Amino acid sequence: MAKTILVVEDDTELQAACKAMLEQFGFIVLQATNGKDGLIQFVQGRPDAVLLDISMPEVDGVSMLQALRAQESGASTPVIVLTNDGSNLAVHQELNNQVQAYFIKSKTSLETVVAALNKVLP
């Protein structure tokens, strides 16, 4: 059975690229452009994993992750962070305890992200 991935990314070009790549590998893809919509999509769609950006409008990725982890259904859902900001070490360390992988967009191929998703999905 195909796994569902929620992509929460405000860069529409990257979001489209992620969607295309994930669908190519047989995933079902849900999309949101900020953390607020991401939480709504999570509750409605019950994805198997979340691919999450950090810097987004309305509700950022850190706030979304905290809200997600506070929900019973989101407490153990695998989350992979894909962000542009690798400079904030405090955020990186905080997230490392709550996410399965943390990637910098400019240094990571989408194939690497797909491989990470395949590792963390049951």
Side-chain angles (χ1 to χ4, degrees):
M1 188 167 148
K3 300 289 185 180
T4 301
I5 309 299
L6 170 58
V7 178
V8 186
E9 170 61 62
D10 63 324
D11 179 329
T12 54
E13 287 182 21
L14 180 58
Q15 188 182 81
C18 287
K19 181 179 184 345
M21 175 68 74
L22 291 168
E23 287 176 343
Q24 186 177 11
F25 281 90
F27 293 105
I28 297 166
V29 180
L30 304 175
Q31 296 174 285
T33 55
N34 60 58
K36 179 181 174 188
D37 292 341
L39 287 168
I40 293 167
Q41 286 289 337
F42 181 83
V43 169
Q44 292 176 348
R46 297 277 184 230
D48 298 293
V50 177
L51 184 57
L52 181 63
D53 186 15
I54 296 301
S55 300
M56 296 181 292
E58 287 193 60
V59 175
D60 67 17
V62 174
S63 299
M64 180 185 160
L65 181 64
Q66 290 167 342
L68 186 70
R69 293 299 187 220
Q71 296 180 27
E72 186 177 334
S73 61
S76 62
T77 300
V79 175
I80 293 179
V81 170
L82 186 60
T83 185
N84 277 327
D85 186 8
S87 63
N88 191 334
L89 189 58
V91 168
H92 176 75
Q93 288 174 331
E94 157 123 10
L95 289 174
N96 254 352
N97 297 326
Q98 299 185 56
V99 302
Q100 282 59 45
Y102 185 101
F103 296 112
I104 305 302
K105 292 175 186 176
S106 62
K107 299 178 182 177
T108 307
S109 70
L110 289 179
E111 290 85 355
T112 300
V113 174
V114 169
L117 281 169
N118 282 321
K119 272 177 126 172
V120 301
L121 287 168

